[in-house]
Amino acid sequence: MREAISDQIIAAAGGLFYREGIRAVGIDRIIEEANVAKATLYRHFPSKDHLVAAYLSARHDRVVQSLNEVVSSALPPRAQIISIFERLHEKADSPDFRGCAFALAVAEHGESDKVCLVARHHKAVVRGIFSTILSKAGIADELTAAHLALLYEGALATVAVGRDPQPVLLARDCALSVFDTASPPSLSIESSSL
């Protein structure tokens, strides 16, 4: 089945934006990479701003789908946290990994309300996913969810700067410590074997 033209444009632009940076990639380069006419691109995306927001929205959908696979698994909550950080470690252990696409986009294109809105929404959803995992463990503490999300975000930033995926595993261990501290005593004893 043939990919929709808008998806083809988003995929081409997204690859370029993530690898080379949003400002470094011009519309002509995207047109060439996507193999579409300029009129076709502008029919689907009236501006580069719209295209960047669409790229981030598509990336958001992929990341959230991956995280939701963990949340909907049969793993206990503590093991779900381990799985999330280990999936991130696997992604970060690639020469193509540049860190968080949303943070990179805001750093480069932060004057765009569209870009900032998508990035903020993504960060809130990730925090909400950690909140869901915690609620399964009987922990109804939004501060703990914020701590876990901050560890996840910090791991992304540290890997981007240091080009070393090991901080993701350190963040995982910190996240488990936060989880264990917040867990009811009976859950901490049961989950410490995971």
Side-chain angles (χ1 to χ4, degrees):
M1 191 159 117
R2 193 153 189 272
E3 184 178 34
I5 296 292
S6 60
D7 292 340
Q8 179 181 329
I9 295 168
I10 290 169
L16 291 168
F17 290 155
Y18 188 73
R19 280 191 314 272
E20 299 176 24
I22 293 167
R23 292 197 190 281
V25 176
I27 292 297
D28 290 337
R29 180 92 186 281
I30 295 165
I31 289 166
E32 180 184 326
E33 185 82 13
N35 195 26
V36 296
K38 187 177 273 194
T40 301
L41 183 136
Y42 282 116
R43 185 171 46 251
H44 290 278
F45 305 100
S47 70
K48 187 175 180 182
D49 202 35
H50 285 86
L51 181 54
V52 173
Y55 145 67
L56 291 174
S57 292
R59 192 164 191 110
H60 165 79
D61 291 344
R62 286 193 310 273
V63 170
V64 169
Q65 179 182 354
S66 175
L67 294 172
N68 280 333
E69 286 172 7
V70 174
V71 173
S72 63
S73 73
L75 293 171
R78 190 175 195 275
Q80 288 181 358
I81 292 170
I82 292 169
S83 181
I84 284 173
F85 280 92
E86 288 181 352
R87 283 179 178 214
L88 179 58
H89 178 263
E90 188 177 307
K91 281 195 298 188
D93 194 16
S94 160
D96 299 329
F97 188 78
R98 291 189 61 227
C100 176
F102 302 92
L104 292 169
V106 169
E108 273 198 85
H109 215 63
E111 73 284 352
S112 165
D113 289 339
K114 284 179 180 45
V115 169
C116 289
L117 187 65
V118 174
R120 287 182 189 125
H121 173 70
H122 177 74
K123 300 302 181 184
V125 170
V126 170
R127 187 173 53 251
I129 287 169
F130 281 113
S131 184
T132 298
I133 292 170
L134 291 171
S135 69
K136 289 180 179 184
I139 304 167
D141 179 8
E142 285 305 311
L143 187 57
T144 301
H147 290 163
L148 295 177
L150 188 59
L151 286 164
Y152 184 83
E153 298 300 330
L156 280 165
T158 303
V159 170
V161 172
R163 296 292 197 215
D164 176 8
Q166 289 308 111
V168 176
L169 299 179
L170 178 60
R172 175 203 59 201
D173 295 344
C174 293
L176 292 175
S177 180
V178 167
F179 177 84
D180 292 344
T181 300
S183 294
S186 62
L187 185 62
S188 294
I189 293 167
E190 291 169 19
S191 63
S192 63
S193 62
L194 296 176

